[in-house]
Amino acid sequence: SNSFLNSKRFSIGQFIAKFRFHKILCFISWCYKFKEFIKSSTMRDTVSIGLPSKGRLKESALNLLKKNNLELISKGGDRDYFASLNNLPNIKVIYLHAREIIERLGDGTLDVGISGLDLLNESTVNLQKRVEVKKKLDFGKANLVVAIPDDWIDVQTVADLEEVSFYFRDKKNSRLRVATKYPNLTNKFFATKGVTQYRIISSLGATETYPFTGSSEIITDITSTGSTLKANNLRVLKDGTILESQACVLISKQSKKKAAKSGLPKSFF
């Protein structure tokens, strides 16, 4: 009889567990559908704009809004990541890392954004196809360059660098190490120049210090004045400019019609 009761209790317990699990699944499904409904009904005409969250790029982007008579309203002050425009309630502003803006434009969760051309060109080809450069701006100008140690006096061009890379391969049995935050653009540039004997070292920050610490021989990095490179005893190859970059107004291609009807002034685009 005890075994019978235990089996009954087990069956009832299983039933209750399955019932609860089913209810949870139904609730999750309902929440998802409700979220999609709200999104489709209330966000249809809302245009989201991504602005850089820090640095000179943020300051310049805010100045651009002011020049276009677009007044930002933020309830949480300077530390708030969300804002709106006083005269355009259908516009929602979010502060993001410049690289994140590119990603969100690519997946369509952001309609308009201000970010660097270098970050767009560094992204995947598929992502680039989903984003349109609407306007190039007069700030955020910088060059992505190949920089080498200043004491490599015999190395002046990329062709010279190719010889150095073969020296590392043949004499040191290793590949020339290139530290960078831009592996895609770096690989593409070296491929066009015929440089093959190297390997990429992913940089997490302060790329200009990598040769000094022995983490790489050379670097590719973004620079506006070159002063940081000089301070770290680095110089740019004569033909070592990979990309001339600047800040741009970017639009997710799937949001073009919505952005056009947003009420944003034409001068913004």
Side-chain angles (χ1 to χ4, degrees):
S1 60
N2 287 337
S3 61
F4 173 78
L5 289 173
N6 289 336
S7 64
K8 281 288 185 179
R9 287 171 185 166
F10 183 73
S11 299
I12 293 171
Q14 276 189 320
F15 174 79
I16 293 172
K18 288 182 179 179
F19 178 78
R20 286 177 177 172
F21 183 70
H22 176 71
K23 293 290 284 184
I24 291 171
L25 286 179
C26 289
F27 179 73
I28 292 173
S29 177
W30 179 86
C31 286
Y32 176 79
K33 291 178 181 178
F34 181 74
K35 179 183 176 182
E36 291 300 306
F37 170 78
I38 293 297
K39 185 177 180 180
S40 63
S41 60
T42 62
M43 300 294 287
R44 189 176 295 137
D45 299 321
T46 299
V47 173
S48 57
I49 299 179
L51 298 182
S53 58
K54 59 182 179 179
R56 294 179 182 176
L57 207 57
K58 178 182 179 180
E59 294 175 8
S60 298
L62 294 177
N63 286 334
L64 177 66
L65 294 181
K66 290 179 181 178
K67 289 179 182 178
N68 286 276
N69 298 315
L70 299 171
E71 183 184 349
L72 276 172
I73 302 173
S74 180
K75 295 180 181 179
D78 293 338
R79 295 186 178 182
D80 199 351
Y81 284 97
F82 300 93
S84 57
L85 295 178
N86 187 35
N87 45 348
L88 291 171
N90 62 312
I91 305 292
K92 302 300 178 185
V93 176
I94 181 170
Y95 295 101
L96 296 167
H97 189 282
R99 193 180 295 270
E100 180 75 7
I101 290 173
I102 301 295
E103 294 293 328
R104 299 289 73 80
L105 288 168
D107 65 23
T109 55
L110 202 62
D111 300 313
V112 181
I114 294 176
S115 190
L117 186 63
D118 57 318
L119 298 177
L120 176 63
N121 287 7
E122 174 60 20
S123 62
T124 64
V125 174
N126 286 336
L127 190 150
Q128 291 182 50
K129 289 179 179 179
R130 297 194 291 268
V131 179
E132 179 180 327
V133 177
K134 195 66 177 177
K135 182 180 183 180
K136 292 184 177 181
L137 303 168
D138 61 356
F139 59 85
K141 294 183 178 181
N143 293 336
L144 179 61
V145 299
V146 181
I148 65 170
D150 201 31
D151 57 5
W152 287 17
I153 56 175
D154 293 330
V155 182
Q156 299 293 326
T157 66
V158 176
D160 296 333
L161 188 65
E162 184 183 6
E163 291 184 19
V164 172
S165 70
F166 278 106
Y167 169 80
F168 270 81
R169 187 195 68 176
D170 298 335
K171 302 297 183 180
K172 295 190 175 185
N173 195 30
S174 64
R175 288 178 182 261
L176 184 73
R177 295 171 300 170
V178 184
T180 186
K181 298 174 188 174
Y182 299 86
N184 294 332
L185 284 169
T186 299
N187 285 330
K188 184 177 179 181
F189 177 77
F190 281 150
T192 62
K193 298 291 185 177
V195 179
T196 58
Q197 303 303 310
Y198 69 94
R199 65 186 177 97
I200 294 291
I201 303 296
S202 295
S203 171
L204 301 176
T207 310
E208 65 276 359
T209 66
Y210 275 56
F212 177 77
T213 60
S215 300
S216 74
E217 281 72 51
I218 67 172
I219 69 170
T220 67
D221 203 11
I222 198 82
T223 179
S224 53
T225 64
S227 58
T228 303
L229 296 177
K230 290 178 182 178
N232 287 275
N233 299 313
L234 298 171
R235 60 180 166 83
V236 180
L237 291 176
K238 290 180 178 179
D239 56 350
T241 299
I242 298 173
L243 175 72
E244 294 180 352
S245 182
Q246 63 195 104
C248 301
V249 176
L250 307 167
I251 294 183
S252 174
K253 288 185 177 179
Q254 69 182 53
S255 303
K256 288 177 68 174
K257 291 183 179 179
K258 185 166 67 169
K261 298 177 182 179
S262 65
L264 288 167
K266 291 183 179 181
S267 57
F268 182 78
F269 297 111

